[in-house]
Amino acid sequence: MLTASTTRALLTARRATTTAAMHSTASAAAPAVDTRPPLGPIASAIRDKLTAECTPMHLVIYDDSKKHAGHAAMKGLKPEETHFRVTVVSDAFSGKPLVQRHRLIYGILGNELRAGLHALQLNTRTPAEWDASAATEK
């Protein structure tokens, strides 16, 4: 499992490699979006919907589906785009407890959850929480 400092390092390293298409209409202060290529249709939908609805400062999406290929719940199914770890840092979470943050994300990704997204591990933080965690790791 990645630590917060490793995730931040990945975000910093990948900030420069974020696709031009993601920032075609964005300003210089556009959010850093980190995904692991190749993006399938579910990962793309997660990225697009969370970017549109939450305007994240950071968005990291990991497809962990292959790690769950042999699990009982996945027997007979393709292990493609069923399990994700998502880190979202957004002002949209300000003043909301963890349960409300997760419900917000589940609501945004409702169609994907109904269409076969089996597991979603969420790390939802405000920019202040993200910065505070970075400060404590120095």
Side-chain angles (χ1 to χ4, degrees), residues 22 41-56 59 61 104-114:
M22 286 300 299
I42 301 293
S44 294
I46 292 170
R47 178 199 60 207
D48 296 346
K49 288 182 175 187
L50 293 180
T51 299
E53 296 291 328
C54 296
T55 317
L59 174 60
I61 300 168
L104 174 67
I105 300 297
Y106 295 145
I108 293 168
L109 301 177
N111 289 338
E112 289 72 21
L113 289 162
R114 286 186 291 277

Side-chain angles (χ1 to χ4, degrees), residues 27-101:
S27 67
V33 179
D34 182 13
T35 55
R36 304 264 167 141
L39 285 181
I42 301 293
S44 294
I46 292 170
R47 178 199 60 207
D48 296 346
K49 288 182 175 187
L50 293 180
T51 299
E53 296 291 328
C54 296
T55 317
M57 179 177 127
H58 296 293
L59 174 60
V60 186
I61 300 168
Y62 297 98
D63 185 355
D64 288 338
S65 302
K66 291 185 178 165
K67 294 179 183 179
H68 301 275
H71 294 181
M74 302 311 297
K75 295 267 189 221
L77 300 175
K78 289 184 179 182
E80 296 175 5
E81 296 198 285
T82 56
H83 294 71
F84 288 92
R85 281 182 292 136
V86 180
T87 296
V88 186
V89 179
S90 173
D91 283 323
F93 303 133
S94 294
K96 291 181 173 67
L98 185 64
V99 172
Q100 285 183 346
R101 295 173 186 192

Side-chain angles (χ1 to χ4, degrees), residues 107-135:
I108 293 168
L109 301 177
N111 289 338
E112 289 72 21
L113 289 162
R114 286 186 291 277
L117 176 54
H118 178 73
L120 192 59
Q121 180 182 341
L122 298 173
N123 179 9
T124 54
R125 297 190 183 189
T126 66
E129 291 166 342
W130 184 259
D131 293 340
S133 68

